[in-house]
Amino acid sequence: MKMVTWLARHGETQWAVEDKFNGLADTDLTEQGREQARGLAARLSTRPIAAVYCSTLRRTIETATIVAAPNGLKPLPRKTLHEVNYGVWDGMQRQAIVDQYPDLYAAWVADPAAVAPPGGETGYAALSRSMETLRQIVAHHPEQEVLIVAHKGINRLLLCDLLGMMPRSYRDRLGQQPCALNCVEWHDGEPMVTLMNDVCHVGGA
């Protein structure tokens, strides 16, 4: 028997619309983001999901709460699933970061796994904590299906690692749209990615 992990990104936030970096700042979903979550809820409503996990940030809790409702579940927040910590860049628009930190931003773009924003964390650090949590969840739910609602950066890091790709490529090789759905099947503890960045449940997609 296989274990199935559905990995989703939270719905749209206003900071995403404004192209602002959003790490640990606790932003809310837009109404569009809530509608995206309702679409994901409808899509997964017939799946035998045993548990729903998310980060401790409001945008993932709200998304997970909406998606978990048809299954009569409540989300289980885990701090280790929160987004990459962008430090002082959190809440800044991308162009402002380019203007104020041109050399550091260029180095970060070249290798975001190894380079951290001021006061933030590297991709490697974020991958370490989130992958450990993913493995724990998988071990705790043998032969079951679970949903994890996390973040753009975290999902891309996890998928990059599961696919055997270099973590430094997580930002420029893998996409994660708001409320995107990914699927990882686990066979004897080994992962097989069977779905990535699917948004067919999002209105207008």
Side-chain angles (χ1 to χ4, degrees), residues 44-192:
L44 294 178
S45 61
T46 60
R47 302 302 308 182
I49 295 175
V52 177
Y53 294 86
C54 63
S55 82
T56 56
L57 298 174
R58 287 199 304 268
R59 56 193 186 273
T60 60
I61 292 176
E62 185 174 8
T63 302
T65 299
I66 293 171
V67 180
N71 293 85
L73 300 171
K74 292 184 178 180
L76 303 169
R78 295 291 184 270
K79 187 175 181 179
T80 46
L81 293 172
H82 65 61
E83 180 61 297
V84 178
N85 181 359
Y86 294 119
V88 300
W89 291 358
D90 210 1
M92 293 181 63
Q93 288 189 314
R94 189 177 309 275
Q95 189 57 52
I97 296 171
V98 172
D99 293 341
Q100 296 181 39
Y101 303 89
D103 294 337
L104 181 57
Y105 181 77
W108 180 76
V109 168
D111 191 354
V115 177
E121 68 178 336
T122 65
Y124 283 124
L127 175 60
S128 177
R129 59 172 166 79
S130 57
M131 180 58 75
E132 181 179 3
T133 300
L134 174 59
R135 294 282 183 177
Q136 290 171 351
I137 291 171
V138 170
H140 190 64
H141 294 277
E143 301 182 9
Q144 292 183 319
E145 295 191 22
V146 301
L147 170 66
I148 299 173
V149 180
H151 301 266
K152 183 178 183 179
I154 291 299
N155 288 3
R156 291 196 289 184
L157 281 162
L158 290 172
L159 290 166
C160 199
D161 189 72
L162 293 171
L163 290 167
M165 298 169 59
M166 295 292 290
R168 69 182 301 165
S169 301
Y170 83 90
R171 294 188 65 256
D172 55 10
R173 297 292 179 89
L174 298 175
Q176 282 293 284
Q177 297 299 313
C179 241
L181 184 64
N182 312 276
C183 185
V184 184
E185 296 181 0
W186 300 81
H187 301 265
D188 297 322
E190 293 300 318
M192 175 186 293

Side-chain angles (χ1 to χ4, degrees), residues 7-40:
L7 178 65
R9 183 188 172 192
H10 61 77
E12 178 192 82
T13 67
Q14 188 59 39
W15 279 16
V17 174
E18 297 172 0
D19 196 26
K20 291 181 178 179
F21 275 51
N22 196 177
L24 304 189
D26 220 357
T27 54
D28 294 311
L29 299 182
T30 62
E31 186 50 46
Q32 175 67 18
R34 296 183 185 98
E35 184 61 28
Q36 292 165 348
R38 287 189 283 269
L40 181 57

